[in-house]
Amino acid sequence: MRTVFDEIPNDDRPPAGDRWSIWWDSEPLQRGPEPHPDWVITDHGAVDYELGVLKTGKEADVFLVERVVPGTDRAVILASKRYRSAEHTQFNRAGDYTVGRAAKRSRDNRAMAKRTTFGLEQAAGRWAAAEFDALKRLYAVGVPVPYPVQVHGTEVLMEFIGHGRTAAPRLAETRPDESELDSLWEQAAEALRRMTELGFAHGDLSPYNTVVHEGRLVVLDLPQVVDIYANPLGLTFLTRDVENLGSWFSARGVDRELVDDLHAEVLALAARP
């Protein structure tokens, strides 16, 4: 599979590694919220090693990248999400999610509407920027999402959730006992409340894009995050998020009334001025 690293001229590559760290290629607002966690590497001389594909999706592929400071023991594994151009995406219902969003420049909007090469690249960049912005805002209010390290063009680098090079299991792959199930449900409910208070619906929340790491539920895949006020389908997406996640929990022993109560609660939160 061709990656962005393959496109780097050989004379621009570092002596070791696949590319120089792109940390300083991003503007300050394209980096994660401060204070940066201690594990974030910002050194000018750092390099990135590509470790392989973690997963593929409808609109993007996720790779493992190790960012290293040569000559030291400082290194961190990151998840690198790279959006495909719109001509290569398999995500066919993007319009439902992007209602209420618009490019700042009318030139960009026209190019995307005409599906020019420039426009297709702009569309991919907008998905990356939307996910990075959502991660920053959700992380800041305590929603359990990966720390967003940086966005650069169509690539989002974020905290890797897992042990070593092994990703944390999806919620759907877990078999929690009763106490673990109750804890995970409370975490899921609180995440939905906080997202709603911020005016967001995930838009595609399910047991397949939430993972469990050391007892902690973490929400992933946020490019399609929906503004529940600007998007006329906002409350529909919010209802679907609660139902998709709540049905998994109720099928495993969580009282269905708790799911229904959560649905009523987030709708009430969304109705507040």
Side-chain angles (χ1 to χ4, degrees):
M1 180 178 295
R2 184 176 177 83
T3 73
V4 292
F5 289 4
D6 297 326
E7 300 169 3
I8 299 174
N10 287 331
D11 56 357
D12 290 338
R13 294 180 187 270
D18 294 294
R19 68 178 179 187
W20 294 106
S21 165
I22 60 172
W23 173 261
W24 293 100
D25 294 335
S26 294
E27 300 293 331
L29 291 178
Q30 296 172 322
R31 301 178 194 140
E34 296 184 4
H36 305 306
D38 292 341
W39 52 263
V40 174
I41 292 176
T42 64
D43 301 56
H44 281 280
V47 297
D48 291 344
Y49 289 83
E50 177 131 356
L51 304 179
V53 179
L54 182 62
K55 72 169 188 174
T56 60
K58 295 186 291 289
E59 75 285 345
D61 301 307
V62 181
F63 296 77
L64 278 185
V65 170
E66 185 174 27
R67 183 161 288 177
V68 176
V69 180
T72 75
D73 60 357
R74 295 180 58 217
V76 62
I77 303 291
L78 302 172
S80 167
K81 190 168 186 178
R82 300 170 194 164
Y83 282 85
R84 305 188 198 100
S85 68
E87 61 184 330
H88 297 300
T89 185
Q90 301 172 44
F91 193 37
N92 298 319
R93 294 189 302 109
D96 291 346
Y97 297 93
T98 56
V99 174
R101 300 183 193 174
K104 293 182 180 179
R105 298 187 303 176
S106 59
R107 171 177 177 258
D108 294 348
N109 280 324
R110 290 195 301 271
M112 286 185 283
K114 293 179 179 178
R115 297 181 65 82
T116 65
T117 299
F118 172 77
L120 294 173
E121 189 69 17
Q122 287 293 302
R126 284 181 68 190
W127 282 108
E131 176 153 34
F132 187 74
D133 180 64
L135 286 170
K136 286 177 65 175
R137 294 176 66 181
L138 293 171
Y139 183 89
V141 299
V143 177
V145 296
Y147 177 80
V149 176
Q150 68 179 115
V151 61
H152 184 250
T154 59
E155 178 179 10
V156 180
L157 280 164
M158 66 188 81
E159 177 185 2
F160 171 62
I161 309 297
H163 290 285
R165 299 183 183 184
T166 303
R170 297 171 179 176
L171 177 63
E173 299 168 340
T174 65
R175 299 292 182 271
D177 61 28
E178 184 175 351
S179 63
E180 292 169 333
L181 185 73
D182 289 343
S183 172
L184 291 171
W185 166 248
E186 286 302 321
Q187 293 178 59
E190 183 61 17
L192 280 159
R193 292 186 193 101
R194 293 196 176 211
M195 291 178 71
T196 305
E197 288 172 339
L198 201 60
F200 283 157
H202 181 285
D204 195 30
L205 194 61
S206 80
Y208 295 94
N209 52 26
T210 49
V211 298
V212 179
H213 181 56
E214 297 179 345
R216 179 171 176 255
L217 186 79
V218 181
V219 178
L220 306 178
D221 295 334
L222 289 148
Q224 72 292 312
V225 69
V226 171
D227 184 320
I228 57 179
Y229 303 111
N231 191 314
L233 296 174
L235 295 182
T236 299
F237 282 120
L238 181 59
T239 293
R240 192 174 72 180
D241 285 348
V242 175
E243 180 60 28
N244 285 350
L245 207 54
S247 293
W248 187 88
F249 280 99
S250 64
R252 283 153 184 80
V254 168
D255 192 329
R256 177 68 209 191
E257 285 190 13
L258 293 177
V259 178
D260 295 337
D261 288 347
L262 177 64
H263 183 211
E265 182 181 357
V266 295
L267 289 181
L269 287 171
R272 289 181 182 177

